[in-house]
Amino acid sequence: MTPLITRPFQLIARTLLMSLFLIGGISNSLLAWDPPAYGQNGMVVAHDELAAEAGRKVLAAGGNAIDAAVAVGYALAVTYPPAGNIGGGGFMVIRMADGRMAAIDYREKAPARANRDMFLDDSGRVVPGLSLQGGLAVGVPGTVAGLQMALDNYGTMKLKEVINPAIDLAKRGFPVNFYLSYALHYLNQAAAKYPETVRVFGRDGNPPKPGEIFKQPDLARTLKTIRRKGPAGFYQGKVAEKLVESVQAAGGIISLEDLENYQPVLRRPVTGEYKGYQVLSMPPPSSGGIALISMLNMLKQFELDTMDWHGADYVQVLTEVERRAYADRSVWFGDADYWPVPTETLLSMAYANTRMADFVWGKATPSEMVQPLGDAAMDSLKAVLRESEETTHYSVVDKWGNAVSTTTTLNWTFGSLVTVNDCGFLLNDEMDDFSAKPGVPNAFGLVGNEANAIQPNKRMLSSMTPTIFVKNDSVRYIIGTPGGSTIITSVMQVFLNAIEERMGIVDAVRMPRVHHQWLPDVIYIEPYALGPETIAALERNGYRVVIRSTIGEVNAIGWDPIFKGWIGAPDQRGAAAAVGY
Ligand code: DON
């Protein structure tokens, strides 16, 4: 960063901003050198500028936030193949200006022929990689049906009006940014066993370099079929046949009936309250909403705003809250259509207070004490969070105040690596989010039990936490992120930065993050997230601190009370972009 002294104008501007902040709680960025993206009539924040721009165009053409979100969803399926998708699933939390709210669940489902031991060998051990790559890893995709449900119930435009930007991007191509180029080069090598993936995304061994135009004619054709026939163009007919053929050739079990039977679900968001903000987030099959609200409830007994931000006390409180929520996640959370998730109990203050009863200042509560598990779970103490994680979040708000918070994924980077023959899109590896065996950690080091065991047609447990925060009946923040197990704690930290530390949303997103997930019993921190003295104090108190790569890519929006408009906060940890309208 350029030294302050050489930037007198910014210094003056920042001083002015600081006085505004002190007077009115400005939601502008005090630390960012570049001015934040501002939109008087709406805002779209997404993984890349092309996708965000697709959403802005729809807003400018008179569409509402839901129309724009569907446009962004389809555009990301073209511009961001590692995670944007039509071959995966996601969650969309909606809050309409008139107060209606919805949680659209288009999570993938286990195929009808799935069974709980499908990832175990004859001696009952989990076969490494089987739930992550190849046909068996693939859950029945939900995105096309889910986006349609959003549009039909809350949008104002027809599919053909919102899918066109994506078709153009696929047909005419777009200049590949550095990150995508890098990812496609990686994919070209990693997917050697999947020739269709190498052909389409690796361009037969010649993946696009940064700045090169990347065209996807097969995907353009598939999207046109969807434009013509709606979801039937995906779940039935040629595309469906090709999908089944490709999955089965890669060893999978998805059938035409699985596709035909896929239905998204319109659910009610889980809700909570924190310091005057109403929290609306994703219910099961995500663990995110319940865990977020229960952690915020546990935090109510502490005065975070009086503690040093990222000092030893602050980090201890976050860690102990997270440890307890994630311990409970492993036992009680699963697809509520198949398992009785005790949602009300977990959201209650009685639960939060009981859970924190054994908290002791200055002393770690070891994870074994929080929820004793068997040997297998203890093995997971050795598990280390992997570094490459791909999912994507986009946030949209319109001039009427309708808001959309969507997280969508193929699970791991490029999903199962299986591309549907001649159709130009990748399939997810979401089956890994099930608990392949009780107590054995998945790719995110998360352990699960009976509640998240594989059953035919069941949805696998998720951590995706698309969330909207409302105050005085108006949307104030839209927050969400990728990051697997770190999603829930990232959403919480951004919100806490804004509320407790009174950071503008840009800074709230930018600040370094920390994470604990019960097992393994370590505090993960981004580089420079904690000072050496804080780390030393935590270690004296029984905590283990591990520096890892960046955590999440939060794409958020905040309301600006001064200008009465919207600030976009794309995360600098990725190629994210905010486009105001
Ligand atoms: O649903 C989930 O929790 C995971 N499949 C999300 C994966 C993810 O966030 C990977 N990326 N960053």
Side-chain angles (χ1 to χ4, degrees), residues 120-356:
L120 306 185
D121 64 16
D122 292 344
S123 49
R125 278 191 298 262
V126 175
V127 182
L130 200 56
S131 59
L132 282 167
Q133 267 188 31
L136 274 185
V138 184
V140 183
T143 298
V144 172
L147 294 181
Q148 193 61 45
M149 176 177 259
L151 206 54
D152 291 345
N153 286 275
Y154 297 94
T156 63
M157 288 180 157
K158 295 267 173 285
L159 179 63
K160 61 174 183 298
E161 295 169 271
V162 297
I163 202 174
N164 279 339
I167 294 176
D168 275 355
L169 285 163
K171 202 170 89 187
R172 294 183 215 280
F174 60 91
V176 168
N177 66 36
F178 178 84
Y179 297 111
L180 178 57
S181 171
Y182 200 82
L184 291 173
H185 277 74
Y186 152 82
L187 179 64
N188 186 49
Q189 290 175 7
K193 279 198 334 225
Y194 306 98
E196 182 69 353
T197 303
V198 171
R199 180 181 76 80
V200 173
F201 296 100
R203 294 200 306 197
D204 279 328
N206 188 23
K209 294 211 172 66
E212 269 183 53
I213 300 294
F214 182 41
K215 296 184 183 176
Q216 299 173 75
D218 290 353
L219 180 56
R221 223 178 19 255
T222 302
L223 292 172
K224 278 188 201 161
T225 308
I226 295 171
R227 178 175 66 184
R228 211 171 48 249
K229 299 186 174 167
F234 182 88
Y235 292 96
Q236 295 164 20
K238 262 265 152 349
V239 174
E241 283 161 23
K242 290 277 183 188
L243 192 159
V244 169
E245 167 199 299
S246 309
V247 167
Q248 294 190 356
I253 51 176
I254 289 182
S255 67
L256 280 173
E257 292 71 46
D258 285 325
L259 290 174
E260 191 127 11
N261 292 337
Y262 184 87
Q263 290 296 336
V265 188
L266 194 52
R267 303 189 189 275
R268 195 181 154 70
V270 283
T271 56
E273 186 278 336
Y274 189 81
K275 299 208 169 167
Y277 286 82
Q278 187 194 22
V279 187
L280 273 59
S281 193
M282 195 65 210
S286 181
S287 58
I290 295 178
L292 172 68
I293 293 168
S294 70
M295 288 193 291
L296 290 173
N297 284 343
M298 290 183 220
L299 287 175
K300 284 179 186 165
Q301 61 177 280
F302 301 96
E303 290 177 0
L304 278 183
D305 54 349
T306 65
M307 297 175 201
D308 281 347
W309 182 81
H310 276 203
D313 286 351
Y314 188 99
V315 176
Q316 181 188 5
V317 168
L318 287 197
T319 300
E320 294 303 336
V321 156
E322 292 169 1
R323 187 200 305 281
R324 286 158 177 79
Y326 278 76
D328 296 339
R329 181 193 190 280
S330 76
V331 184
W332 288 327
F333 289 61
D335 180 352
D337 294 343
Y338 285 75
W339 177 265
V341 181
T343 302
E344 263 179 55
T345 311
L346 293 169
L347 292 178
S348 70
M349 277 313 295
Y351 162 79
N353 293 336
T354 311
R355 211 58 179 98
M356 287 304 280

Side-chain angles (χ1 to χ4, degrees), residues 448-462:
N449 277 284
E450 208 46 48
N452 191 31
I454 305 172
Q455 282 177 254
N457 303 317
K458 186 177 174 181
R459 287 171 156 94
M460 54 298 281
L461 185 60
S462 173

Side-chain angles (χ1 to χ4, degrees), residues 80 82-83 89-91 107-108 285-288 329 387-392 407-413 429-433 442 444 446 460-465 481-488 552-553:
Y80 190 37
F91 299 131
R107 182 70 161 165
E108 300 90 328
S286 181
S287 58
R329 181 193 190 280
E387 296 194 355
S388 164
E389 305 162 353
E390 295 299 342
T391 292
T392 193
T407 315
T408 180
T409 188
L410 292 169
N411 192 29
W412 217 241
T413 308
D429 60 345
E430 220 70 62
M431 291 296 284
D432 189 66
D433 276 348
N442 74 357
F444 295 104
L446 290 167
M460 54 298 281
L461 185 60
S462 173
S463 301
M464 293 188 291
T465 313
T481 181
S485 54
T486 66
I487 291 174
I488 315 170
E553 184 193 294

Side-chain angles (χ1 to χ4, degrees), residues 8-26 28-30 562-563:
F9 297 113
Q10 278 95 340
L11 188 57
I12 294 164
R14 278 155 51 92
T15 312
L16 271 172
L17 283 173
M18 181 59 88
S19 20
L20 277 172
F21 171 72
L22 293 173
I23 305 164
I26 191 169
N28 226 329
S29 169
L30 298 173
I562 306 286
F563 298 129

